[in-house]
Amino acid sequence: MSDRRRPHPAGRRFLILALPLAAALAVAACEAPRAVHAEAADNLDILAPLPGFTPARLPAGWLIDGAAEAAREGIIVVEEGGVPALKVVNGKQGFVLARRTRAVLLATPYLSWAWNVESHGAGLHPINLVIGFLGGGRENGGRESRPLTWLGKALPPHDRILAIAWGDSALNRGSLTPASADKPGMRRYVARGGRENSGSWWLETVDLSQIYSRAWPGDDIGRTRVTFIGLAAAGGRSPAAAHISGLKLSR
């Protein structure tokens, strides 16, 4: 359920998207960072981001999985078009920046964020949002599972991962990729895309419970928890930046 408005002229889009978002983030910046461990809440703020946020000194509840040096070089807090944002750029090696959560999927199913993505050429953008789930998989009876080794070993326990991507065409929007043999517990959902939409701020809201049900229809969604939310940067591809801001879960 992303914002389906057509792109606005630059000035009008800045007034409609950038200024309200910047005001909201200015309020969030006054709050101290903390881990998100609530079982249920109306809103779980994941990433504002706060001034001074750096992978070299992560706040409690945050972690880096994969190439830590690449993460230190590729993650920085900036102001893009008047909006405080986390700028993430991929490099030679991949990494995941994630925040631990303990949220019941059906209690806080809506994931919202704003992003401004650089044009990246063919294929999916190398920077994805990633969400880890645990408990709904029928094959393990909802028991704790080991992290999926193809993504990394430092992430909290999970048995499903949803990657939310920016596609190379606006026509890919809403598509969901099937499972692959090497990544059986992962699906990828395209929330937006297209060269014509790059370089502008877009506000998004998706219903994770709806996407989860499409991706894993045989799972027990009532037992599913969200164990982490973060950003994944693919290694070995041409660098392309993504700016992310205002990431949160809500009812």
Side-chain angles (χ1 to χ4, degrees), residues 1-10 12-22 25 48 80-81 83-85 111-119 125 129 164-167 169-170 173 190-206 241-248:
M1 299 189 303
S2 302
D3 180 1
R4 295 181 180 273
R5 291 174 296 180
R6 296 176 61 85
H8 298 278
R12 186 181 177 192
R13 180 168 51 246
F14 177 85
L15 291 174
I16 293 176
L17 298 179
L19 292 181
L21 181 60
L25 296 179
E80 178 67 22
V83 178
L111 183 69
S112 303
W113 73 98
W115 54 356
N116 184 326
V117 174
E118 287 185 357
S119 183
H125 196 280
L129 277 71
I164 298 180
W166 181 285
S169 170
R173 189 178 185 182
V190 178
R192 193 174 289 275
R195 184 174 58 183
E196 67 276 18
N197 292 326
S198 63
S200 300
W201 278 108
W202 295 95
L203 298 172
E204 311 284 3
T205 298
V206 298
H243 301 83
I244 310 292
S245 195
L247 184 63
K248 70 176 183 178

Side-chain angles (χ1 to χ4, degrees), residues 161-173:
I161 289 179
L162 176 68
I164 298 180
W166 181 285
D168 57 359
S169 170
L171 299 177
N172 295 332
R173 189 178 185 182

Side-chain angles (χ1 to χ4, degrees), residues 2-248:
S2 302
D3 180 1
R4 295 181 180 273
R5 291 174 296 180
R6 296 176 61 85
H8 298 278
R12 186 181 177 192
R13 180 168 51 246
F14 177 85
L15 291 174
I16 293 176
L17 298 179
L19 292 181
L21 181 60
L25 296 179
V27 174
C30 298
E31 301 178 358
R34 63 187 185 278
V36 181
H37 287 296
E39 288 292 347
D42 288 338
N43 292 283
L44 298 178
D45 292 320
I46 307 299
L47 176 68
L50 298 173
F53 184 97
T54 169
R57 297 182 302 278
L58 288 173
W62 286 89
L63 62 91
I64 292 175
D65 196 357
E69 183 176 352
R72 287 192 291 269
E73 294 176 353
I75 298 173
I76 186 173
V77 175
V78 299
E79 185 173 292
E80 178 67 22
V83 178
L86 191 69
K87 180 180 179 180
V88 184
V89 183
N90 61 304
K92 293 182 180 180
Q93 295 178 294
F95 62 85
V96 177
L97 170 70
R99 189 170 187 179
R100 298 179 180 90
T101 63
R102 281 175 56 185
V104 177
L105 175 57
L106 291 180
T108 52
Y110 295 105
L111 183 69
S112 303
W113 73 98
W115 54 356
N116 184 326
V117 174
E118 287 185 357
S119 183
H120 64 287
L124 298 174
H125 196 280
I127 309 300
N128 286 191
L129 277 71
V130 287
I131 303 95
F133 304 98
L134 180 66
R138 300 286 188 180
E139 65 273 14
N140 62 20
R143 296 189 300 270
E144 298 286 312
S145 70
R146 300 178 66 86
L148 303 174
T149 56
W150 46 263
L151 187 58
K153 299 180 179 180
L155 292 171
H158 55 278
D159 51 22
R160 301 282 188 259
I161 289 179
L162 176 68
I164 298 180
W166 181 285
D168 57 359
S169 170
L171 299 177
N172 295 332
R173 189 178 185 182
S175 62
L176 185 68
T177 62
S180 61
D182 59 332
K183 301 177 182 178
M186 181 176 180
R187 303 290 191 277
R188 181 173 281 106
Y189 175 81
V190 178
R192 193 174 289 275
R195 184 174 58 183
E196 67 276 18
N197 292 326
S198 63
S200 300
W201 278 108
W202 295 95
L203 298 172
E204 311 284 3
T205 298
V206 298
D207 185 340
L208 291 178
S209 65
Q210 184 181 72
I211 298 174
Y212 188 99
S213 296
R214 285 178 57 194
W216 299 284
D219 281 13
D220 184 354
I221 194 171
R223 302 182 59 166
T224 303
R225 305 193 308 275
V226 181
T227 59
F228 68 84
I229 297 175
L231 300 165
R237 293 182 54 186
S238 299
H243 301 83
I244 310 292
S245 195
L247 184 63
K248 70 176 183 178

